[in-house]
Amino acid sequence: MKSPSLSSHSSPSFMYGIFSYDIAMPRVGLKHGESILDLEVVSLLGYFDDLDIAPAVFAQPVLNDFIALGKAAHRAVRQRLTELLTNESDAFADVHDQVFIHESRAQMHLPVRIGDYTDFYAGIHHAENVGRMFRPDGDPLLPNYRYMPVAYHGRASSIVVSGRSIRRPSGQFLDADKKPVFGPSQALDFELELGLIIGKSNPLGEPVPVNEAESYIFGVTLFNDWSARDIQRWEYQPLGPFLGKNFTSSMSAWVVPFEDLSPFRVAGSVQEPTPLPYLQTTRPGHFTLELEVWLQPADGEELCICHTNARNLYWNFAQMIAHHTVGGCNLNVGDVLATGTISGTTPGSYGSLLELSWNGTRPLHLSHTETRTFLQDGDTVTFRGRGFLNGVRVDLGEVAGTII
Ligand code: MN
């Protein structure tokens, strides 16, 4: 008999996305090594007939209809796909070329139609670092930080799929003489985050209890909340981020089902003071996931400039959802909740250039000739992520963007 960890290890990693090729319309695919399994064609060929799932669900340019089927349907599809892929050559003997597309032939699309996007600030080491730089005379953390998962409502329309170029934004910021000027941002940055894709709606007026909150998550992506620090610094008081954030965010093309994170569940750091009752969870809600930032100049080598872990978040996913909805706010299928920048406690684990270059005062050395404080045109930023624990592995894929 196989041990549980060995069988998990050998089962295919599940990642859902939206792809197209040639003149075919975008549809739902499953990543399978360097290939994509075309779930519309698999469905039309009858492989899901006894599962009572209409092929039309997979013939969509977004995952929303598939997500809305719910966890029981997702489990049934997954079990069927696992059976098929375990005996791939037999199962698809006559139709192999119909159901598999090589990744290099496919174009990837934004995986969900995002109704609303919220960006949290749950990375406590990032929040402390930013507090030290932006408000040097006060406590690094504002008084509310350890009482609630702070967030702002972001802009859903400007979220793009991994691989899309990022246009440097222009806006207002203060020049060296503290006078407001307008021009291209001189302090363009990334923010290393995870993006949660909401899988179930709650009715308006009905909060989601914290211990049910994880059932509202369909999946997880890597998420880059590109930020213009000079614009942000001048505009953010009193109402929070606006043009410093709303020009673009990037998310990975492939979505990892939330259930795939369960082998990596760990307790977060002790929350002191004890959260109010509506934020108290009965089981550990953090996940140990390795996260990296790679930076490649236009004509240089790719270099890893940050290595950190998702367990550095102060608030967990369930607490974010419980807090978001406690006043009755309704979440919808396809909404995205991002975690906030995930930094560790040491310089090599900071999830933004603002922290890595300490607000531009400590330039990063990329090579003998190249340094960075903030991003330059032509720079490509790639986040990668994975879990590896007790012989079990999950790949979170990547999200990349090049500054133009
Ligand atoms: Mn952010």
Side-chain angles (χ1 to χ4, degrees):
M1 212 178 97
K2 286 182 184 174
S3 74
S5 65
L6 269 179
S7 66
S8 304
H9 188 108
S10 56
S11 71
S13 142
F14 268 72
M15 299 169 98
Y16 294 102
I18 298 294
F19 74 103
S20 62
Y21 64 98
D22 297 340
I23 55 165
M25 298 296 285
R27 76 274 307 276
V28 177
L30 180 80
K31 185 164 164 60
H32 185 60
E34 289 182 357
S35 296
I36 299 171
L37 183 62
D38 185 330
L39 296 189
E40 183 190 1
V41 173
V42 169
S43 179
L44 288 170
L45 288 170
Y47 289 93
F48 298 146
D49 275 1
D50 57 323
L51 303 183
D52 199 25
I53 295 172
V57 164
F58 300 105
Q60 300 290 328
V62 285
L63 292 173
N64 296 55
D65 285 5
F66 175 64
I67 294 172
L69 292 177
K71 300 262 183 196
H74 301 155
R75 271 194 298 274
V77 167
R78 182 184 189 122
Q79 192 181 344
R80 176 60 44 84
L81 290 171
T82 302
E83 292 160 10
L84 294 169
L85 291 169
T86 305
N87 296 298
E88 185 188 315
S89 44
D90 289 343
F92 298 122
D94 303 325
V95 294
H96 198 274
D97 291 348
Q98 277 175 269
V99 300
F100 286 108
I101 306 296
H102 195 272
E103 227 177 4
S104 60
R105 290 183 57 202
Q107 184 192 345
M108 299 307 298
H109 302 264
L110 192 67
V112 279
R113 183 175 56 249
I114 304 168
D116 280 298
Y117 155 53
T118 304
D119 194 28
F120 282 85
Y121 199 47
I124 189 167
H125 307 306
H126 171 76
E128 285 173 331
N129 285 337
V130 174
R132 286 187 190 107
M133 283 181 263
F134 280 28
R135 296 182 306 273
D137 300 329
D139 281 339
L141 293 181
L142 291 173
N144 58 11
Y145 191 86
R146 292 175 190 271
Y147 284 88
M148 68 175 82
V150 173
Y152 66 94
H153 284 120
R155 186 73 195 169
S157 64
S158 56
I159 300 177
V160 302
V161 71
S162 175
R164 284 274 299 269
S165 298
I166 309 303
R167 188 173 290 272
R168 179 182 298 271
S170 287
Q172 282 193 35
F173 48 88
L174 300 183
D175 68 10
D177 302 324
K178 307 279 184 208
K179 277 180 55 185
V181 293
F182 176 86
S185 169
Q186 302 300 302
L188 188 53
D189 198 357
F190 55 80
E191 290 195 332
L192 172 61
E193 309 196 16
L194 292 175
L196 308 179
I197 293 175
I198 294 298
K200 188 164 71 171
S201 304
N202 63 303
L204 181 62
E206 294 185 18
V208 175
V210 70
N211 287 313
E212 293 171 27
E214 285 185 353
S215 69
Y216 285 74
I217 306 172
F218 169 73
V220 178
T221 64
L222 294 169
F223 194 89
N224 188 341
D225 178 28
W226 303 97
S227 299
R229 300 300 180 189
D230 41 4
I231 298 172
Q232 179 185 355
R233 188 195 304 265
W234 170 228
E235 76 179 358
Y236 85 105
Q237 287 178 321
L239 285 186
F242 191 36
L243 303 196
K245 302 279 191 173
N246 74 2
F247 55 96
T248 311
S249 304
S250 300
M251 65 190 276
S252 32
W254 295 105
V255 182
V256 177
F258 180 64
E259 287 65 32
D260 286 28
L261 301 191
S262 54
F264 309 99
R265 187 182 291 277
V266 292
S269 59
V270 175
Q271 294 180 330
E272 180 61 43
T274 302
L276 294 172
Y278 79 94
L279 291 172
Q280 290 174 12
T281 47
T282 54
R283 64 167 179 172
H286 284 71
F287 298 89
T288 180
L289 301 166
E290 306 280 324
L291 305 171
E292 292 168 349
V293 180
W294 293 73
L295 176 59
Q296 181 171 29
D299 48 7
E301 297 281 310
E302 190 182 44
L303 191 73
C304 183
I305 58 170
C306 163
H307 186 155
T308 186
N309 192 298
R311 68 189 302 173
N312 284 309
L313 291 167
Y314 186 78
W315 299 101
N316 65 41
F317 302 159
Q319 290 171 321
M320 293 178 206
I321 290 170
H323 184 66
H324 201 308
T325 60
V326 73
C329 176
N330 50 331
L331 299 176
N332 290 302
V333 168
D335 284 359
V336 170
L337 309 189
T339 57
T341 309
I342 303 172
S343 290
T345 53
T346 55
S349 65
Y350 293 163
S352 68
L353 280 175
L354 178 69
E355 295 161 274
L356 287 165
S357 75
W358 207 255
N359 202 17
T361 61
R362 303 174 196 162
L364 277 186
H365 289 266
L366 302 181
S367 68
H368 290 305
T369 52
E370 196 115 42
T371 61
R372 282 293 177 283
T373 50
F374 292 101
L375 295 170
Q376 295 188 3
D377 292 349
D379 284 353
T380 298
V381 178
T382 306
F383 299 168
R384 300 195 173 92
R386 71 195 66 83
F388 185 68
L389 192 66
N390 301 325
V392 187
R393 190 181 286 275
V394 69
D395 186 4
L396 299 181
E398 65 174 44
V399 58
T402 300
I403 309 302
I404 57 171

